[in-house]
Amino acid sequence: MRTAASVPRSAGIDPAAIPTSGIDGVTDAMLAVKAGEHNISILQDAKAQAEGALDIVQGLILPSVEAGTPNRTEPTRQMTKTRVAIGSDEAGFDLKEALKTHLTAAEVEVLDYGCDSPDPVDYPDIALELAHDIAAHKMERGILICGTGIGMAITANKVPGVRAAQAHDAYSAQRARKSNDAQIVTLGARVIAPELAKTIVDTWLASEFEGGNSTRKVDKIVAFDAQRGRTADDTDPDPETR
């Protein structure tokens, strides 16, 4: 039977990396029940936030606790070490920079598609370039940020083969990957705070497509693009070439 183990202070775990959204979600759910609100969506969101937070904490703690144990059979769940593309318009610039720092510290390779300053830009230009590279398998995952995340999601989903999902909570981020196999997550810098955005991105990156009944549904989306004769090569991110 596995027993609990404590982590020595010398493990080098940054307390700032420990997410608080799981605690906050459970607290909100308990307060809602106490107030007589039996809202299943509140409970589901609390459960997802707690699970996402535990996944992240496990990824931080287990490597330190179990170092020197070569015969482990259980894999450590943590952020998938993939190449991540990130882009924003001017509204999302500050959040993009914060997420870049956060991901780089977690040893995730990040490629910045712009913008490069808070000066105004048109979000479709950023979204189309990034989404096109996702569809062409040049990048594995993408993060797009604007004021609400809505415009980026609409634009990215115009590129055949791309599934972009807006997520402003851990549960949506988790399901976007596990159920919908979304390669892009979009965020609203005017909707969520940076710390929540970090938890959402961490949860999304730690999640993988589960298949099962969702496979049939995602396959129908893929087939719809094929039926219309649309492929990634048909979509050019530069409108001047069309």
Side-chain angles (χ1 to χ4, degrees):
M1 182 177 66
R2 182 186 291 270
T3 58
S6 61
V7 182
R9 293 182 181 274
S10 60
I13 296 174
D14 181 5
I18 305 298
T20 61
S21 61
I23 298 172
D24 294 339
V26 173
T27 301
D28 289 344
M30 293 175 65
L31 290 174
V33 172
K34 186 176 181 180
E37 297 180 19
H38 299 160
N39 190 326
I40 189 64
S41 63
I42 295 177
L43 297 177
Q44 289 176 333
D45 190 47
K47 180 176 182 291
Q49 288 188 39
E51 289 177 346
L54 286 172
D55 281 345
I56 295 166
V57 171
Q58 178 174 300
L60 291 168
I61 292 176
L62 284 186
S64 298
V65 173
E66 303 192 6
T69 306
N71 296 322
R72 285 186 60 213
T73 57
E74 297 180 19
T76 299
R77 293 192 62 192
Q78 52 188 325
M79 286 191 294
T80 305
K81 297 299 187 290
T82 58
R83 298 178 67 220
V84 175
I86 192 169
S88 75
D89 63 4
E90 74 279 4
F93 175 75
D94 289 340
L95 181 56
K96 174 174 69 72
E97 294 302 302
L99 289 175
K100 280 171 55 182
T101 300
H102 173 69
L103 292 172
T104 301
E107 300 182 354
V108 176
E109 182 180 353
V110 181
L111 183 61
D112 191 343
Y113 280 64
C115 58
D116 300 320
S117 74
D119 296 333
V121 296
D122 294 336
Y123 66 80
D125 296 337
I126 304 294
L128 287 173
E129 182 180 3
L130 187 152
H132 190 267
D133 280 356
I134 291 287
H137 306 292
K138 295 179 181 179
M139 299 297 295
E140 298 170 62
R141 303 270 196 110
I143 302 167
L144 288 168
I145 312 162
C146 59
T148 64
I150 296 172
M152 287 293 196
I154 292 173
T155 306
N157 280 318
K158 296 296 182 183
V159 177
V162 166
R163 292 173 296 283
Q166 180 205 51
H168 286 157
D169 60 83
Y171 180 73
S172 297
Q174 184 186 73
R175 298 325 304 177
R177 187 62 187 167
K178 289 189 174 184
S179 295
N180 308 119
D181 198 17
Q183 315 105 311
I184 294 176
V185 66
T186 71
L187 306 171
R190 293 172 178 160
V191 181
I192 57 174
E195 290 307 310
L196 176 56
K198 292 174 186 177
T199 299
I200 289 169
V201 168
D202 289 350
T203 301
W204 180 66
L205 287 175
S207 303
E208 292 295 344
F209 184 51
E210 289 183 330
N213 290 334
S214 295
T215 300
R216 181 183 71 258
K217 301 164 188 176
V218 173
D219 283 348
K220 287 186 176 182
I221 298 173
V222 175
F224 179 74
D225 275 341
Q227 289 171 0
R228 297 182 63 184
R230 302 167 68 204
T231 66
D233 294 335
D234 296 329
T235 307
D236 194 317
D238 184 0
E240 294 182 359
T241 65
R242 293 199 292 272

